[in-house]
Amino acid sequence: MITRLVQISRPVLWVNTVGTTVIGMWLIGDLWRWDIIPLLLWATLPFNLLIYGVNDIFDQETDAQNARKGGLEGARILGSETRSIVLAVVLTNAPFLAYFLVTLPTNALAWIAAYTVIFIFYSAPPLRFKARRYLDSLSNAAYAFPLIFVPLALGKSPVWSAAIGLMAWSVAKHTYDAVQDIDEDRAAGIHTTAVHLGARGATVWSGVWWALSTVGFALISWPVAAVNALIAGWLVISLGRSPTPATARRLYRYSIVFPYVAGSVAGAQIVAAMLLGGYP
């Protein structure tokens, strides 16, 4: 059962929560703090199980028809697993949230609450952001929230240019990745931003948001901004040459690698600067 829950939590995507939590700590100038451990542990299996477990529960019908599901890109669950997944989500997340409630300042709690609620209702009715054009994409800005609540939890101020840049980046990546599912989503009556704009329009939409993210990153790190612009530019141009779901599906493997590369450049630069006494 534990192995199954780990599979449902999509470990290949944990970088989106664990990575931002660590970067949030580094951005305030601390290489390591022991009081980050509860937030860091929560960002592994528990919170990813919340994101993707809830998603899989409410997407069972469409996932059953999606050839991408059943592997690294997402589990294909059975109806009989629903109760166990709900129980696992509650049991793994409730202790952390209760601990945060009694130990963290109010401003950090507000962002953590927003982080949790947005990802639950990304998939869950009645809000179900993923089936609402533009809201599906914009709600993914929440992936950047650790850059805000981690510093606040540690008694420091967030680096807002980094947080806003990552919000824009997350909006772009969500729509870009959704292009590959346009046909399945349209058939299922799910009106995503990608379905609404079409493959070509979604490519332009993603390009605009990635350009905005590059501006935000440039305010704190030209190397990170340059890497972001190069990778995002290549992804946008590659899809723009043949704007079809099939092309997006072929490019998805590179999209998955994108945060690993950009995050590694950002992290290495911040750590090096701290060790050399040039940051913060």
Side-chain angles (χ1 to χ4, degrees):
M1 186 61 188
I2 293 176
T3 301
R4 179 61 169 161
L5 292 175
V6 171
Q7 180 191 17
I8 291 169
S9 73
R10 305 185 197 181
V12 72
L13 300 180
W14 286 14
V15 64
N16 295 322
T17 55
V18 176
T20 50
T21 300
V22 173
I23 293 292
M25 176 181 64
W26 287 346
L27 281 172
I28 62 174
D30 289 322
L31 187 61
W32 176 254
R33 289 181 56 149
W34 289 103
D35 46 355
I36 191 88
I37 289 179
L39 286 166
L40 193 58
L41 290 176
W42 181 53
T44 58
L45 175 65
F47 195 71
N48 283 281
L49 186 60
L50 181 147
I51 298 174
Y52 302 114
V54 172
N55 180 267
D56 289 345
I57 288 170
F58 290 101
D59 282 3
Q60 290 180 57
E61 291 186 16
T62 54
D63 285 352
Q65 307 301 321
N66 193 329
R68 292 196 302 116
K69 302 300 181 178
L72 289 177
E73 297 179 34
R76 186 181 288 121
I77 71 168
L78 303 174
S80 59
E81 294 181 292
T82 298
R83 183 174 181 179
S84 296
I85 294 171
V86 171
L87 184 61
V89 168
V90 172
L91 290 179
T92 55
N93 283 272
F96 286 99
L97 295 175
Y99 176 78
F100 299 152
L101 188 62
V102 298
T103 60
L104 298 185
T106 303
N107 52 5
L109 288 173
W111 284 97
I112 288 173
Y115 190 53
T116 304
V117 169
I118 288 172
F119 278 115
I120 289 174
F121 287 106
Y122 173 79
S123 302
L127 300 180
R128 195 162 163 77
F129 298 133
K130 72 166 295 175
R132 300 175 184 269
R133 61 188 183 188
Y134 301 119
L135 286 178
D136 65 324
S137 182
L138 295 172
S139 64
N140 272 253
Y143 274 111
F145 286 9
L147 296 191
I148 302 171
F149 67 69
V150 168
L152 293 175
L154 300 178
K156 301 292 182 67
S157 297
V159 179
W160 287 103
S161 55
I164 293 171
L166 187 56
M167 288 181 192
W169 186 93
S170 301
V171 170
K173 189 172 186 299
H174 175 271
T175 302
Y176 188 90
D177 290 347
V179 171
Q180 64 187 312
D181 293 324
I182 283 178
D183 294 336
E184 291 84 357
D185 287 341
R186 183 180 290 121
I190 300 176
H191 206 53
T192 65
T193 302
V195 169
H196 175 68
L197 296 176
R200 187 176 299 277
T203 304
V204 174
W205 166 273
S206 297
V208 170
W209 284 101
W210 267 326
L212 291 174
S213 74
T214 299
V215 173
F217 296 151
L219 295 175
I220 56 171
S221 170
W222 279 105
V224 173
V227 169
N228 186 69
L230 286 171
I231 299 176
W234 179 80
L235 287 171
V236 168
I237 291 171
S238 297
L239 184 55
R241 287 173 176 168
S242 177
T244 65
T247 304
R249 194 167 295 120
R250 189 180 71 250
L251 291 168
Y252 182 60
R253 69 187 69 179
Y254 305 107
S255 178
I256 288 180
V257 174
F258 191 175
Y260 284 92
V261 175
S264 296
V265 171
Q269 184 185 14
I270 295 171
V271 170
M274 283 192 290
L275 293 176
L276 294 174
Y279 184 86

